[in-house]
Amino acid sequence: MRPPRTSTRTRPERDGRPSPWARVLPGISPERRGLVLAWWGFALAFGGMRLLTWLIHIDVAGLGDVQAGGVHIHHYVWGILVLAAVGVAGLVQRSARARAWMGLAYGVGLALVLDEAALLISLEDVYWDTEGWVSIALALAVLALAGGVLAVTRYRRSSTGAGDG
């Protein structure tokens, strides 16, 4: 018989406050929260960027490209900046709360970059061309692979014998 699982819902983090992620992701261990949030952040940011760029593409009032000095700033630039910030934060911060936020930010940053991977590969703005489907294929592959790994490793036992949750 399996020992009863303890809930992470009320377990306080190191600073004494319960993690807000424990309520959002009950049963997910603090060690896995960043990975799960990275996956969700990637999926939601990728879908959100596709929707936003489509709305800009069809000229929905009030929406437009981000520009500086008349030059369009593609969203992969923001993704690279987010990934750089996560990298720096990862060098100095190790708490479970920070790992969760870094995981979410990592997924968002990666989505912003991969959404324009076809542009980076061809060095031309092919976002709405046939070649632009490379970005969608890469994003779906990342979602499938990461989701599969998360699913397969869901019930792997940790070194203490308790489930990773």
Side-chain angles (χ1 to χ4, degrees), residues 35-61:
L35 298 171
V36 172
L37 286 166
W39 188 70
W40 278 106
F42 182 89
L44 294 174
F46 183 80
M49 285 312 300
R50 280 283 155 170
L51 175 62
L52 179 62
T53 53
W54 177 70
L55 292 173
I56 292 169
H57 184 68
I58 64 169
D59 293 322
V60 170

Side-chain angles (χ1 to χ4, degrees), residues 40-57 63-66 72-79 82 107-117 127-128 135-136 139:
W40 278 106
F42 182 89
L44 294 174
F46 183 80
M49 285 312 300
R50 280 283 155 170
L51 175 62
L52 179 62
T53 53
W54 177 70
L55 292 173
I56 292 169
H57 184 68
L63 294 175
D65 293 333
V66 175
H72 172 70
I73 300 178
H74 290 271
H75 51 271
Y76 72 81
V77 173
W78 307 111
V82 169
V108 169
L110 187 60
L112 293 173
V113 172
L114 284 187
D115 188 40
E116 294 195 317
Y127 196 85
W128 295 109
S135 296
I136 295 172

Side-chain angles (χ1 to χ4, degrees), residues 71-127:
V71 176
H72 172 70
I73 300 178
H74 290 271
H75 51 271
Y76 72 81
V77 173
W78 307 111
I80 291 169
L81 292 174
V82 169
L83 291 174
V86 169
V88 169
L91 294 173
V92 298
Q93 187 56 258
R94 299 281 197 280
S95 73
R97 185 183 306 267
R99 280 195 319 267
W101 284 107
M102 286 187 291
L104 182 62
Y106 180 81
V108 169
L110 187 60
L112 293 173
V113 172
L114 284 187
D115 188 40
E116 294 195 317
L119 180 149
L120 293 168
I121 291 167
S122 68
L123 297 179
E124 293 180 24
D125 193 353
V126 294
Y127 196 85

Side-chain angles (χ1 to χ4, degrees), residues 145-159:
L145 182 64
V149 168
L150 286 171
V152 167
T153 61
R154 171 83 165 103
Y155 293 107
R156 186 187 68 188
R157 293 198 178 264
S158 68
S159 59

Side-chain angles (χ1 to χ4, degrees), residues 7-23 25 28-31 33 93-101:
S7 173
T8 58
R9 192 174 306 196
T10 58
R11 187 169 72 185
E13 299 292 334
R14 284 187 184 170
D15 62 3
R17 296 179 297 165
S19 169
W21 296 114
R23 287 188 307 274
L25 298 169
I28 304 296
S29 71
E31 294 78 20
R33 274 188 212 133
Q93 187 56 258
R94 299 281 197 280
S95 73
R97 185 183 306 267
R99 280 195 319 267
W101 284 107

